[in-house]
């Protein structure tokens, strides 16, 4: 099987549906490498199918894994040659695979993030106002708000702020654009705090306390611009579904936390995604969010120790219970990692109702845990090859769904990755 080559020339711009189909083919062919739960495994689950890749991951020193994992391009450069050898040995190929695993969607409209960042200033705010508007908002969050707001046009449409929290974004838009804003939020205390601020500054912002999953009458209407900055999972899906039903004139949203869904598996939105044959569990949907952050040596040591201890206890409980499944345990306090491994195991056994009878060689199970940790780190490293392409697939599903319903859609980065890795903005407009 050969997957069509991605054409990146300036003379041919792939449609969003074509880009989604190409990514679907790639993910389907390589499903064994990313649709896996590492903690369940006692060996590389795909070693027989991908022997060269297996050799490559075992040649990586433990001390190098986090550094490689933190850089998507470095990760692909490290593992792709071995993966391509395995594909070639089975007469398979995926043209443009490097780009698929490292690049974002080719947008219909190119936006230079650097130019945008240079242009963004808190226009319309005095120094005094700025200090009040940005108070209690962490620096990166404030940067996200101002960058996102930069792309909201002055289209004279009233704004509906979805999942508003305290309404920071809506408040900024109400002030900067002198626009009427309705902010929806389910927590009463946040609504009250946001409304108090809006009233103090005489802003045209009104809060409505409501659960967007329980509303009987949709708050979305035709002559409106719906906005949502980092609405999680089903929350932003609910937004675009209601917006489509209401033929809402404009929608601007930045998706986040794709795994926070009510169903056990992802429900595709667009026809192209539905026809792809792909399925994603909640665990699969977490892949786009998984990227190593280089911690200081002490934090890194404690994190690896905790994982090896968890896996050591899991090996113990499997032998005792005869189970072949991973047994998750509650969160671990840092102080527990200062005790001994056998104390940790007794605590975990008590938490999960596992009887530790007779003589147990805890040192042996500690070694087993360390071996399994080395294994799971490599399984996860290979799965992380696909975190970007999966996120791009999910974003394209949303774009294609909106296009299906008559919207003109743009998708681009609204801020630098250093401000937030969830920096994709989808903007959809419908002609009146």
């Amino acid at each position: 099987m050969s997957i069509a080559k991605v054409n990146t020339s300036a003379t041919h711009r792939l449609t969003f549906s074509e880009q989604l189909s190409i990514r679907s083919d790639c993910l389907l062919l390589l499903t064994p490498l990313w649709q896996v739960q590492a903690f369940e495994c006692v060996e590389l689950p795909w070693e027989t199918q991908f022997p060269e890749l297996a050799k490559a991951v075992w040649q990586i020193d433990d001390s190098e894994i986090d550094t490689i994992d933190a850089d998507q391009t470095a990760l692909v450069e490290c593992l792709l040659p071995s993966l391509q050898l395995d594909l070639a040995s089975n007469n398979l190929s995926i043209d443009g695979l490097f780009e698929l695993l490292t690049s974002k969607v080719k947008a219909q409209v190119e936006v230079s993030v650097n130019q945008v960042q240079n242009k963004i200033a808190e226009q319309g705010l005095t120094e005094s106002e700025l200090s009040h508007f940005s108070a209690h908002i962490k620096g990166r969050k404030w940067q996200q708000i101002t960058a996102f707001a930069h792309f909201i046009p002055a289209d004279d449409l009233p704004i509906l702020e979805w999942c508003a929290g305290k309404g920071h974004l809506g408040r900024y838009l109400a002030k900067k654009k002198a626009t009427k804003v309705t902010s929806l939020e389910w927590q009463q205390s946040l609504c009250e705090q946001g409304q108090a601020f809006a009233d103090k500054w005489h802003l045209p912002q009104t809060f409505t306390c409501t659960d967007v999953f329980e509303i009987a009458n949709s708050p979305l209407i035709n002559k409106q611009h719906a906005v949502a900055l980092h609405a999680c999972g089903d929350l932003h899906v609910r937004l675009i579904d209601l917006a489509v039903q209401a033929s809402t004139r404009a929608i601007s949203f930045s998706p986040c936390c794709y795994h926070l869904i009510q169903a056990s598996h992802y429900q595709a939105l667009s026809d192209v995604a539905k026809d792809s044959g792909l399925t994603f569990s909640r665990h699969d949907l977490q892949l786009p969010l998984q990227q190593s952050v280089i911690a200081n040596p002490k934090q890194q040591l404690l994190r690896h120790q905790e994982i090896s201890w968890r896996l050591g206890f899991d090996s113990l409980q499997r032998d005792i219970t005869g189970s072949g499944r991973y047994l998750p345990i509650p969160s671990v306090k840092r102080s527990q990692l200062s005790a001994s491994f056998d104390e940790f195991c007794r605590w975990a056994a008590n938490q999960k109702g596992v009887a530790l009878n007779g003589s147990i060689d805890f040192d042996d199970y500690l070694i087993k845990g360390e071996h399994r940790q080395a294994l799971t780190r490599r399984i996860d490293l290979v799965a992380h090859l696909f975190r970007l392409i999966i996120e791009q697939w999910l974003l394209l599903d949303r774009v294609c769904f909106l296009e299906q319903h008559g919207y003109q859609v743009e998708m681009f980065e609204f801020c630098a990755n250093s401000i937030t890795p969830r920096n994709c903005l989808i903007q959809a407009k419908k002609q009146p």
Side-chain angles (χ1 to χ4, degrees):
M1 175 181 177
S2 178
I3 294 177
K5 185 175 182 179
V6 178
N7 189 326
T8 59
S9 69
T11 58
H12 177 71
R13 181 74 73 186
L14 294 172
T15 65
F16 287 128
S17 60
E18 288 172 333
Q19 294 185 65
L20 179 55
S21 294
I22 289 171
R23 283 164 175 77
S24 295
D25 290 341
C26 177
L27 288 169
L28 277 171
L29 186 62
L30 300 175
T31 297
L33 297 177
W34 59 266
Q35 203 160 67
V36 58
Q37 297 192 38
F39 274 24
E40 297 285 355
C41 302
V42 293
E43 59 186 11
L44 292 176
W46 36 257
E47 184 167 5
T48 301
Q49 294 170 270
F50 301 93
E52 294 299 325
L53 184 59
K55 290 179 187 175
V57 294
W58 282 119
Q59 288 172 355
I60 300 172
D61 190 89
D62 285 357
S63 63
E64 298 176 343
I65 290 178
D66 286 340
T67 302
I68 294 171
D69 189 45
D71 184 334
Q72 185 69 17
T73 300
L75 172 59
V76 176
E77 288 176 342
C78 178
L79 297 180
L80 185 57
S82 301
L83 173 56
Q84 289 177 320
L85 284 175
D86 286 324
L87 289 171
S89 68
N90 290 288
N91 297 316
L92 299 171
S93 67
I94 303 176
D95 294 329
L97 184 54
F98 179 85
E99 183 179 44
L100 285 172
L101 298 179
T102 59
S103 301
K104 297 189 177 182
V105 168
K106 297 297 181 183
Q108 307 304 308
V109 175
E110 298 293 345
V111 175
S112 169
V113 172
N114 289 333
Q115 289 179 0
V116 169
Q117 287 303 120
N118 290 336
K119 289 180 180 178
I120 290 175
E122 289 70 28
Q123 299 104 326
L125 300 183
T126 66
E127 273 195 40
S128 174
E129 290 172 335
L130 176 57
S131 66
H132 284 285
F133 268 70
S134 60
H136 312 301
I137 305 175
K138 293 182 180 179
R140 288 187 181 181
K141 185 64 177 177
W142 180 245
Q143 288 177 291
Q144 293 166 27
I145 289 169
T146 55
F148 186 95
H150 176 82
F151 291 101
I152 306 302
D155 51 17
D156 297 324
L157 291 172
I159 289 175
L160 178 76
E161 183 186 15
W162 191 258
C163 302
K166 295 180 183 179
H168 296 314
L169 172 63
R171 179 162 66 247
Y172 181 60
L173 290 171
K175 176 64 177 178
K176 182 171 180 286
K177 300 182 181 296
T179 302
K180 180 181 178 182
V181 176
T182 300
S183 298
L184 300 185
E185 169 56 40
W186 74 276
Q187 294 187 67
Q188 183 68 40
S189 62
L190 299 184
C191 289
E192 291 171 355
Q193 293 176 62
Q195 191 64 66
F197 195 106
D199 292 343
K200 177 181 178 181
W201 285 86
H202 307 290
L203 297 174
Q205 180 183 25
T206 304
F207 280 77
T208 300
C209 187
T210 185
D211 183 340
V212 296
F213 292 116
E214 300 295 334
I215 47 180
N217 298 312
S218 173
L220 284 101
I221 58 176
N222 173 254
K223 293 182 179 180
Q224 195 175 58
H225 192 145
V227 301
L229 174 57
H230 293 157
C232 296
D234 277 345
L235 287 170
H236 70 257
V237 172
R238 174 72 163 158
L239 167 64
I240 59 177
D241 186 47
L242 290 176
V244 162
Q245 293 178 38
S247 293
T248 299
R249 192 82 57 82
I251 314 164
S252 300
F253 67 103
S254 177
C256 185
C257 301
Y258 307 95
H259 63 291
L260 297 180
I261 58 175
Q262 295 173 323
S264 61
H265 286 74
Y266 179 71
Q267 307 297 303
L269 304 174
S270 67
D271 290 343
V272 180
K274 290 175 182 176
D275 293 341
S276 70
L278 281 169
T279 60
F280 296 93
S281 67
R282 291 176 187 166
H283 180 269
D284 300 330
L285 295 172
Q286 291 185 62
L287 265 176
L289 311 179
Q290 294 175 4
Q291 189 153 6
S292 290
V293 176
I294 304 302
N296 65 50
K298 184 177 181 180
Q299 291 174 324
Q300 205 170 43
L301 183 63
L302 287 171
R303 180 166 62 88
H304 293 321
Q305 178 187 337
E306 179 183 342
I307 293 173
S308 65
W309 281 22
R310 283 176 176 271
L311 291 170
F313 169 74
D314 185 64
S315 295
L316 171 59
Q317 71 83 19
R318 289 189 190 210
D319 287 347
I320 291 174
T321 64
S323 169
R325 300 300 301 273
Y326 174 73
L327 182 65
I329 59 174
S331 298
V332 176
K333 297 178 182 178
R334 178 172 292 189
S335 59
Q336 291 175 266
L337 299 176
S338 300
S340 64
F341 175 64
D342 61 322
E343 288 177 293
F344 173 85
C345 286
R346 296 184 193 284
W347 168 82
N350 182 60
Q351 293 291 315
K352 304 304 293 187
V354 176
L356 301 184
N357 299 320
S359 177
I360 297 173
D361 187 344
F362 287 103
D363 288 340
D364 181 57
Y365 283 106
L366 177 56
I367 292 172
K368 288 181 178 179
E370 290 169 347
H371 287 167
R372 280 185 62 191
Q373 185 209 26
L375 172 72
T376 58
R377 292 182 73 194
R378 286 161 175 81
I379 293 172
D380 283 338
L381 191 66
V382 170
H384 290 172
L385 284 169
F386 303 92
R387 57 194 168 197
L388 180 59
I389 189 175
I390 289 174
E391 180 163 23
Q392 296 298 297
W393 189 98
L394 293 166
L395 291 168
L396 284 165
D397 185 26
R398 286 141 179 77
V399 169
C400 291
F401 174 75
L402 290 165
E403 284 189 330
Q404 268 179 229
H405 290 85
Y407 284 86
Q408 293 180 325
V409 189
E410 299 172 1
M411 180 166 68
F412 49 83
E413 295 180 356
F414 69 92
C415 68
N417 194 72
S418 58
I419 296 175
T420 172
R422 308 279 80 76
N423 62 350
C424 178
L425 172 59
I426 297 175
Q427 284 199 317
K429 297 178 182 178
K430 201 165 194 177
Q431 295 303 316

